[in-house]
Amino acid sequence: MKKILSLVMAAVMLLGIVNIALADNAGKPVIWYNRQPSNSTTGELDMDALTFNDKTYYVGFDAVQGAVLQGEMVVNYLKANGEGLDRNGDGIIGYVLCIGDVGHNDSIARTRGARLALGTAMPDVGQGKTEVAGIGDVDPSPIGTNTDGSATAVKDGEIEIGGKTYIVRELASQEMKNSVGATWDAATAGNAIGIWSGTFGDQIDVVVSNNDGMGMAVFTAWSKDNKVPTFGYDANSDAVAAIADGYCGTISQNADVQAYLTLRTLRNALDDADIMVGIKNPDAAGNVLSDDLYYYDEATRCFYALNGAVTADNYELFMDATAPNAKFNFQLTEEQAPTKKVWLSVYNAADNFLNATYVPQLENYQKILNLDVEYVKGDGQTEGNLTDRLGNPDEYDGFAINMVKTDNAASYMVKLQ
Ligand code: BGC
Ligand code: CA
């Protein structure tokens, strides 16, 4: 009898342990980054994901501030260098636009920012908008081609350059998605410019791209040789270097700040420390972020880095996008921050920004924060490719997640229940 009892006891204890282990995963830190849990059609934040537990945060950057900046950068360039820009002399400044992912809030914001600044914006009727009072009202839909200015998602704008008024026309735009479904696809953009230049030839005076991966594909394939101003976003090292060769500008979304915040919030959550340690307030090693680099929205648990324009005027300061920031690059000791294991996903192993800029920055900061990070890279199209590799969450102390689609947070959360 005693034996049976102790067996039962052992079983109960074991079950208890198993239960605790299971419950544990649901309580572990989860940092969403770069792809904000949200509805890809309406942009509405997924608060279930953002409040998965009290150790959950999002780290990204201010998409709207950056998008406005990108639009302004393009317009400033046109105003300053505009004479001679109208290549065929028809009085129309024609531009083409490379869209990254029609369901990604960063991509949507940049399309809107470009159209708003260039005067081509129309109200987003799909969202019930009847006028363009601000950037959020702009229709971000791709137009395909627009030879005669009759597309409905954009209108012809106007710009004054050197005392002369030009029409501004979006000649073409499309989502750069490859045949198997990967978005922000640079190769697709390189092909698109081949088709667009065949159709429009010297009607194309400007290229605007939602990111540098696509922008650089267009630049190398076509605009560099044809001397057509091309603008991107991200300030990847290759794009910044290309400014010396005529790439006109890009936006830094401060990947150093974002990568640091991604791992720093994880570290604090793992240590049960105040979330602002090493962020607003210096940590034991002296790491701290100044207020001009980021802000935090407590209600939605989102950290946002701020953006800066990178042009011919200042690009020399941005040549190495992978260098750690000297102001927050101090090593914590093993006593201050014992090594922990982190599972981290990257939605697409082929995404230029994430792989050429963000991951190297994560690699910098994982060292000083004593985090042992396992990088899991997806194919850019199937969420299951990533979630299937989250089969053993028990082995990790925390998770940093970059989803394929911003709608899909739940498919990670079930793995942690
Ligand atoms: C970047 C893009 C990148 C995308 C991936 C954006 O913030 O600017 O270059 O492809 O994130 O999610
Ligand atoms: Ca023209």
Side-chain angles (χ1 to χ4, degrees), residues 85-94 202-205:
L85 200 76
D86 177 9
R87 295 203 302 144
N88 64 356
D90 66 351
I92 302 174
I93 304 290
D202 60 5
Q203 284 177 270
I204 306 174
D205 303 310

Side-chain angles (χ1 to χ4, degrees), residues 18-351:
V18 170
N19 267 332
I20 288 165
L22 282 179
D24 245 349
N25 287 328
K28 289 177 182 172
V30 174
I31 311 301
W32 309 100
Y33 78 95
N34 176 270
R35 304 201 143 202
Q36 192 170 28
S38 54
N39 181 305
S40 61
T41 309
T42 63
E44 193 193 339
L45 295 184
D46 177 351
M47 287 309 293
D48 289 341
L50 291 166
T51 58
F52 173 63
N53 62 33
D54 62 355
K55 295 183 152 98
T56 303
Y57 298 89
Y58 168 72
V59 174
F61 64 97
D62 188 331
V64 167
Q65 180 251 346
V68 169
L69 209 59
Q70 189 191 26
E72 285 171 3
M73 170 177 74
V74 176
V75 168
N76 289 343
Y77 180 91
L78 298 186
K79 294 212 171 226
N81 303 280
E83 279 163 89
L85 200 76
D86 177 9
R87 295 203 302 144
N88 64 356
D90 66 351
I92 302 174
I93 304 290
Y95 74 92
V96 294
L97 174 68
C98 300
I99 296 178
D101 172 349
V102 293
H104 190 296
N105 53 344
D106 299 343
S107 180
I108 292 171
R110 292 171 202 171
T111 297
R112 288 180 161 149
R115 289 177 178 168
L116 190 66
L118 289 163
T120 55
M122 285 291 282
D124 190 351
V125 280
Q127 305 299 322
K129 305 291 162 123
T130 51
E131 59 170 343
V132 177
I135 185 170
D137 302 329
V138 177
D139 190 337
S141 318
I143 56 165
T145 52
N146 179 33
T147 318
D148 56 0
S150 63
T152 52
V154 292
K155 63 171 193 200
D156 280 353
E158 265 182 22
I159 190 168
E160 211 194 286
I161 300 170
K164 187 171 170 201
T165 305
Y166 294 84
I167 288 175
V168 183
R169 179 169 298 161
E170 185 168 311
L171 295 169
S173 55
Q174 78 177 55
E175 181 185 42
M176 297 305 171
K177 190 180 195 167
N178 70 12
S179 56
V180 284
T183 53
W184 301 90
D185 192 56
T188 303
N191 293 337
I193 195 63
I195 296 166
W196 287 340
S197 60
T199 309
F200 296 109
D202 60 5
Q203 284 177 270
I204 306 174
D205 303 310
V206 181
V207 177
V208 183
S209 174
N210 285 174
N211 82 358
D212 282 337
M214 301 180 297
M216 282 297 290
V218 171
F219 183 70
T220 12
W222 184 76
S223 14
K224 185 177 176 194
D225 289 345
N226 290 279
K227 307 225 174 323
V228 172
T230 298
F231 300 87
Y233 201 110
D234 288 342
N236 294 333
S237 299
D238 64 334
V240 174
I243 292 180
D245 302 328
Y247 193 70
C248 280
T250 180
I251 302 289
S252 166
Q253 51 171 292
N254 286 315
D256 53 348
V257 175
Q258 289 182 70
Y260 175 77
L261 278 171
T262 301
L263 297 181
R264 182 76 236 189
T265 46
L266 253 178
R267 180 79 253 175
N268 290 343
L270 285 165
D271 297 345
D272 270 319
D274 185 289
I275 199 62
M276 285 301 179
V277 170
I279 299 176
K280 197 171 181 48
N281 313 310
D283 68 10
N287 295 299
V288 67
L289 293 184
S290 54
D291 287 348
D292 56 338
L293 293 177
Y294 79 100
Y295 64 90
Y296 176 54
D297 182 51
E298 195 166 1
T300 56
R301 309 180 69 85
C302 294
F303 284 87
Y304 299 99
L306 291 164
N307 304 264
V310 182
T311 65
D313 295 339
N314 64 350
Y315 75 98
E316 271 123 348
L317 299 171
F318 293 84
M319 294 295 275
D320 186 0
T322 66
N325 191 316
K327 297 198 183 111
F328 45 90
N329 192 29
F330 305 111
Q331 181 69 46
L332 290 167
T333 66
E334 189 63 28
E335 290 71 49
Q336 289 160 339
T339 297
K340 300 276 181 186
K341 248 191 124 179
V342 174
W343 186 94
L344 181 145
S345 70
V346 175
Y347 88 103
N348 186 354
D351 185 282

